[in-house]
Amino acid sequence: MLKIAGRSHKLCDGISRRDALKIGGLGLGGLSLPQLLKAESQAGIGKSQKSIIMIYMCGAPSHQDMYDLKMDAPSEIRGEYRPIETSVPGLQICEHLPNLASAMDKCVPLRSVYGSPNGAHDSFICYTGHTTQNQPPGGWPSLGSTISRVQGPTNPAIPAFVGLSPDTGHPPYGSPGHPGFLGVGHAAFRPSGPTRKDMVLGQVDGNRLSSRKELLASLDSIRRNMDASGTMAGLDLLTQQAFDILTSSKLVDALDISKEPQEVRDRYGNKGSEKNYGDGAPTNPEHFLMARRLVEAGARVVTLNFGRWDFHSNHFEGMKKTHLPQFDQALSALINDLHERGMAEDVAVVAWGEFGRTPRINKDAGRDHWPQVGGALLAGGGFRTGQVIGATDRLGAEITERPIHFGEVFASLYKFMGLDPHSITLDDFSGRPQYLVDQQHHALPELM
């Protein structure tokens, strides 16, 4: 067992910092270089430059209206959408996802995802692989925070973990993934809103910045010696990361999609919106392009959220008017872009929500919460694509073949990153070691 010990860094509610300085993903802690090389050697890879893009679909999309249509079910269950053929013979998906249908040979639809305990809206299980119940002291960390802690940055100027998710009206939707017991030093860097301007030096040149850094270090050493909570250690890391970013244009350049040819930007779509959809997230295709630019620049994990899929009423009209066509264009563009740039082997993509929707359409032409089963889409990662994993019954109500827990997808993603989730541990606030995923959840052999 490879154990990662060290002081925990608690996130104190009294700390005030702008979104643009939530840089914790740079993670200068974690494994020492010899330990990391050993872990990667055991996993059969060299020094990792692999990345993950995770798309959280706020409010839970309906599995049976996207990748698992039920044409043999009664009309009050199957709904109004029709299936279309894809680039994989025999595999059909929703008619309102034509671009993804053409790219389905590069994807893996998961039709039997489960694990949400009670049908409550929360991004937590999508970002951690765990439920909010019975958490260890400090709480479960997200995938991005864990990768930040264990592997650190590929480049000091690029955070290991970037969260593009803006705040939402329903706060549990808006999280980019919390650091949990790993502490503030491994929170997501969130380059959102007007604070983007804080990421440039302005009138302060490099020499003056270096002098200020030295002065700050000498002052902080006094407070650090007096601090027993771990907060100062986390802030030290944040400060170092801030200086690394400010002395390089690499991150700002990665976030600037105006550097892309207009043809590429048009491919991702321009019909979305930067405004939140209801109490959910924006339908912003620029975030998909920005995610590709960030992983290309060296970010290890990028998370984003998209839309609000909680259609308890007017479900079919709402889905086909905004969400399905915009999601279809942006995600298919990302997947094809990764392949065309030779990045598909080194970037894994997952898009999902916290659960599925009820088989039976309600009186308001909507679908309600259905934690029994949901769906997801994987791409890239060197995975065995062009296949479907899992199945549900003729009503889309129960899993009949290959149940897939969220934790199994996380185990697959960690394995893709070169990490054995059952040999590496991280200490929670009590000092107790915690594995990266629960021991009963293993990587999906169908993908590898």
Side-chain angles (χ1 to χ4, degrees):
M1 179 176 70
L2 182 58
K3 178 180 178 181
I4 305 173
R7 176 177 293 182
S8 301
H9 306 303
K10 298 183 180 180
L11 176 59
C12 174
D13 290 338
I15 298 172
S16 175
R17 63 189 192 281
R18 301 186 183 193
D19 280 351
L21 292 180
K22 293 179 181 176
I23 300 172
L26 277 170
L28 301 178
L31 291 173
S32 66
L33 180 58
Q35 288 176 306
L36 179 57
L37 293 175
K38 180 180 178 182
E40 291 175 333
S41 175
Q42 291 172 343
I45 64 172
K47 183 168 176 57
S48 175
Q49 297 294 321
K50 297 184 182 297
S51 304
I52 297 167
I53 297 173
M54 184 174 288
I55 301 145
Y56 169 55
M57 303 164 74
C58 302
S62 57
H63 55 290
Q64 65 273 61
D65 294 312
M66 295 185 73
Y67 316 120
D68 192 17
L69 279 71
K70 299 299 181 181
M71 301 314 296
D72 294 333
S75 60
E76 65 270 19
I77 287 175
R78 71 170 179 264
E80 65 180 58
Y81 299 160
R82 296 294 178 262
I84 56 173
E85 298 296 331
T86 71
S87 57
V88 178
L91 171 55
Q92 297 180 326
I93 64 172
C94 174
E95 62 184 319
H96 298 295
L97 299 171
N99 295 301
L100 283 172
S102 297
M104 200 49 53
D105 58 309
K106 304 178 182 70
C107 303
V108 183
L110 306 181
R111 290 178 170 171
S112 54
V113 179
Y114 77 99
S116 181
N118 54 20
H121 284 308
D122 200 317
S123 62
F124 192 84
I125 196 167
C126 293
Y127 287 139
T128 67
H130 298 276
T131 71
T132 57
Q133 300 172 347
N134 302 316
Q135 295 191 59
W140 290 114
S142 69
L143 173 82
S145 295
T146 300
I147 295 297
S148 168
R149 177 71 170 90
V150 175
Q151 293 184 308
T154 62
N155 183 310
I158 300 292
F161 177 23
V162 180
L164 297 178
S165 305
D167 292 333
T168 58
H170 180 60
Y173 284 157
S175 167
H178 289 299
F181 59 67
L182 296 181
V184 60
H186 298 287
F189 169 69
R190 299 183 68 191
S192 58
T195 52
R196 282 277 296 276
K197 66 179 181 293
D198 294 335
M199 294 164 57
V200 296
L201 284 176
Q203 301 300 314
V204 182
D205 62 27
N207 290 332
R208 290 177 63 194
L209 185 68
S210 178
S211 298
R212 292 182 183 187
K213 180 178 179 181
E214 293 173 4
L215 175 61
L216 182 62
S218 64
L219 293 174
D220 279 350
S221 64
I222 300 173
R223 290 185 291 167
R224 189 185 309 110
N225 292 334
M226 299 172 61
D227 177 51
S229 68
T231 299
M232 278 307 303
L235 292 178
D236 286 346
L237 183 54
L238 286 171
T239 301
Q240 178 62 52
Q241 292 156 3
F243 277 108
D244 287 337
I245 287 175
L246 287 172
T247 53
S248 170
S249 64
K250 194 173 178 69
L251 178 60
V252 174
D253 289 344
L255 293 167
D256 185 2
I257 64 170
S258 69
K259 295 181 179 296
E260 290 286 335
Q262 190 61 46
E263 179 184 359
V264 173
R265 297 178 64 180
D266 291 343
R267 191 174 175 188
Y268 278 79
N270 51 26
K271 295 182 180 179
S273 173
E274 294 183 8
K275 295 181 179 179
N276 289 356
Y277 190 97
D279 64 357
T283 54
N284 189 356
E286 291 186 349
H287 282 169
F288 290 75
L289 177 54
M290 199 176 292
R292 190 268 288 163
R293 289 179 59 82
L294 284 163
V295 297
E296 199 168 29
R300 291 193 186 271
V301 176
V302 179
T303 60
L304 62 102
N305 54 15
F306 184 87
R308 178 189 179 274
W309 303 78
D310 192 29
F311 289 101
H312 289 276
S313 62
N314 202 26
H315 171 87
F316 297 98
E317 183 64 24
M319 290 265 284
K320 72 181 180 182
K321 183 178 180 180
T322 56
H323 286 54
L324 290 178
Q326 293 166 13
F327 176 78
D328 176 57
Q329 182 173 359
L331 182 55
S332 63
L334 172 62
I335 293 168
N336 287 323
D337 211 357
L338 292 174
H339 277 267
E340 291 171 9
R341 291 172 176 270
M343 299 169 63
E345 295 289 313
D346 295 322
V347 181
V349 179
V350 56
W352 54 6
E354 57 267 43
F355 44 75
R357 313 298 298 190
T358 51
R360 185 173 295 276
I361 301 166
N362 65 29
K363 63 181 179 58
D364 298 314
R367 295 192 191 272
D368 301 315
H369 300 182
W370 193 254
Q372 287 89 327
V373 59
L377 192 73
L378 296 175
F383 297 144
R384 259 188 248 153
T385 56
Q387 62 166 327
V388 175
I389 305 178
T392 57
D393 62 18
R394 64 182 290 267
L395 305 181
E398 303 293 339
I399 297 172
T400 59
E401 180 182 315
R402 188 56 174 96
I404 303 168
H405 192 278
F406 283 90
E408 293 177 87
V409 178
F410 272 76
S412 303
L413 294 174
Y414 283 126
K415 184 174 181 179
F416 157 72
M417 293 295 289
L419 303 174
D420 182 350
H422 299 125
S423 66
I424 297 173
T425 63
L426 297 163
D427 287 352
D428 63 26
F429 276 1
S430 71
R432 182 178 180 179
Q434 301 287 345
Y435 289 103
L436 303 190
V437 299
D438 291 339
Q439 290 293 286
Q440 70 268 32
H441 301 317
H442 297 272
L444 296 166
E446 298 93 332
L447 294 177
M448 307 300 172

